[in-house]
Amino acid sequence: MTTLQKAPADSGPSASAVADATRRAKKEAWLRRAPLLPGLIFTIIVTQLPFVVTIVLSFRRWDADRPRLSGWTLRNYQEVFSDSGILSAMWHTVILTVSVVVISLVFGLGIALLLNRTFRGRGAVRTMMIAPFLIVPVAAATFFRYGVFDASNGLLAGIVTSFKRIFDPDAAAATISIAESQPMLTIIITLVWQWTPFMTLILLAGLQSRPGDILEAAAVDGANGWQVFRSLTMPHMRQYLELAGLLGAIYIIQNFDAVFTLTPLNPQTENLPYLIFRTIQADSDYGLASAQGVVVVILTIVIATFALRTVSSLFKEENAR
């Protein structure tokens, strides 16, 4: 009688071998990340620790004139959301951000549509169009304050004077005091001039990513320019408009240079970043200034979250094509 013997089953790698491989993989992963460790530590020290200290100070009373920490308190946040001056600064921040972003988007879309066409010297025109965005913000604000909006010697006063002297050569020099009568408008004009190129760059990239076959099909079907713009271009540009608007809002909500340079010590234009500066500079109230700063950071994080989601959806669309 023949006895059949079963072959030993293949039990695969032992548990100890799997554990060793896992340890080696983790060790190699940490060795690959090790060169990044100094940069990570530097980033945490420079960015996160000051923010943690700011959060701690926002719950404490600390006057720089009497530098002695007292107990924990919510007084600073209560004052942020109840003081009329702070609420006014919040309102100015909203007006400034919404106005600059919306106007820059409209101008940026128009310029992007023009630059998307083929014409001689298009490369040079594109370079000149983005030049305002490359200028240092303080330098741009200083130029507008003294070179454009100066009541007697600014560009606006010079244009009006030249126009008047066409009809009356002896006419007196004009005085245009727009900076004194409409201070918020001067800041909006300056920031729109500086941020329109940024919007143009993003929207131009969106226009150039339109699917060519669909545009050709629309042309074959006899669609005119307005129908293509309304039914094809604008739906395609929606996410690019959202991205440009959100990124612009993140920067505009933190703007300090233009407000400080164009309208110093003017309560009609005081936004949150300028208010934080004044709280520290004039009142020496570090606790209240920290609470104001935390509010600005939270607002910025909310906007940045929407911006990141928009960027993520754009990448998903590109990968799906």
Side-chain angles (χ1 to χ4, degrees):
M1 182 174 181
T2 305
T3 303
L4 296 176
Q5 293 182 348
K6 291 184 179 180
D10 187 9
S11 58
S14 63
S16 61
V18 172
D20 290 341
T22 304
R23 280 196 296 270
R24 283 197 300 271
K26 289 183 177 178
K27 184 179 179 180
E28 291 174 359
W30 277 108
L31 288 176
R32 287 196 300 270
R33 294 168 186 162
L36 302 176
L37 193 58
L40 177 63
I41 295 174
F42 177 79
T43 303
I44 292 174
I45 293 174
V46 172
T47 63
Q48 302 306 308
L49 289 184
F51 185 57
V52 171
V53 173
T54 302
I55 294 176
V56 171
L57 286 179
S58 69
F59 291 100
R60 311 293 291 268
R61 286 189 177 185
W62 188 22
D63 191 331
D65 296 332
R66 297 182 295 277
R68 187 180 59 185
L69 286 174
S70 59
W72 300 91
T73 178
L74 292 175
R75 178 195 69 99
N76 297 321
Y77 287 98
Q78 290 173 349
E79 191 167 346
V80 166
F81 294 105
S82 61
D83 183 79
S84 60
I86 299 175
L87 295 178
S88 176
M90 286 185 178
W91 177 240
H92 292 156
T93 304
V94 171
I95 292 177
L96 191 63
T97 304
V98 173
S99 303
V100 173
V101 169
V102 171
I103 297 173
S104 299
L105 278 176
V106 173
F107 286 166
L109 180 59
I111 296 171
L113 288 170
L114 292 175
L115 293 180
N116 195 43
R117 296 175 178 273
T118 303
F119 57 90
R120 182 179 297 178
R122 186 173 66 168
V125 173
R126 285 182 176 179
T127 303
M128 288 188 288
M129 287 303 302
I130 66 172
F133 188 64
L134 305 177
I135 297 176
V136 178
V138 173
T142 304
F143 166 73
F144 270 86
R145 179 179 180 182
Y146 296 106
V148 178
F149 298 130
D150 187 84
S152 302
N153 302 314
L155 179 63
L156 293 179
I159 292 174
V160 174
T161 300
S162 301
F163 186 75
K164 288 171 61 178
R165 287 178 177 170
I166 294 175
F167 304 97
D168 182 8
D170 299 326
T175 300
I176 307 296
S177 56
I178 186 174
E180 289 76 19
S181 59
Q182 299 292 334
M184 181 62 80
L185 181 61
T186 61
I187 298 174
I188 291 174
I189 292 173
T190 303
L191 292 179
V192 166
W193 176 82
Q194 193 162 24
W195 280 92
T196 295
F198 174 80
M199 306 297 184
T200 302
L201 284 177
I202 294 180
L203 299 181
L204 185 59
L207 287 174
Q208 293 183 343
S209 67
R210 290 179 299 175
D213 53 344
I214 296 180
L215 294 176
E216 291 177 4
V220 170
D221 290 341
N224 58 35
W226 170 248
Q227 290 172 328
V228 170
F229 177 78
R230 186 187 62 185
S231 303
L232 295 178
T233 301
M234 285 307 292
H236 174 79
M237 295 294 293
R238 181 182 63 81
Q239 289 178 312
Y240 292 91
L241 288 166
E242 291 176 356
L243 176 62
L246 290 170
L247 291 178
I250 290 173
Y251 286 97
I252 300 299
I253 202 172
Q254 304 176 53
N255 184 273
F256 172 79
D257 313 73
V259 177
F260 178 77
T261 306
L262 287 165
T263 58
L265 301 176
N266 191 332
Q268 298 179 37
T269 60
E270 192 173 68
N271 62 349
L272 283 173
Y274 187 88
L275 179 68
I276 296 171
F277 166 76
R278 191 172 59 77
T279 302
I280 295 177
Q281 183 80 5
D283 303 333
S284 302
D285 192 340
Y286 281 55
L288 178 58
S290 298
Q292 294 166 348
V294 170
V295 171
V296 173
V297 171
I298 291 174
L299 292 176
T300 307
I301 289 175
V302 170
I303 298 174
T305 302
F306 284 106
L308 290 175
R309 287 186 178 180
T310 305
V311 173
S312 177
S313 63
L314 281 174
F315 281 127
K316 287 180 181 177
E317 280 193 0
E318 291 295 329
N319 293 331
R321 290 177 184 173

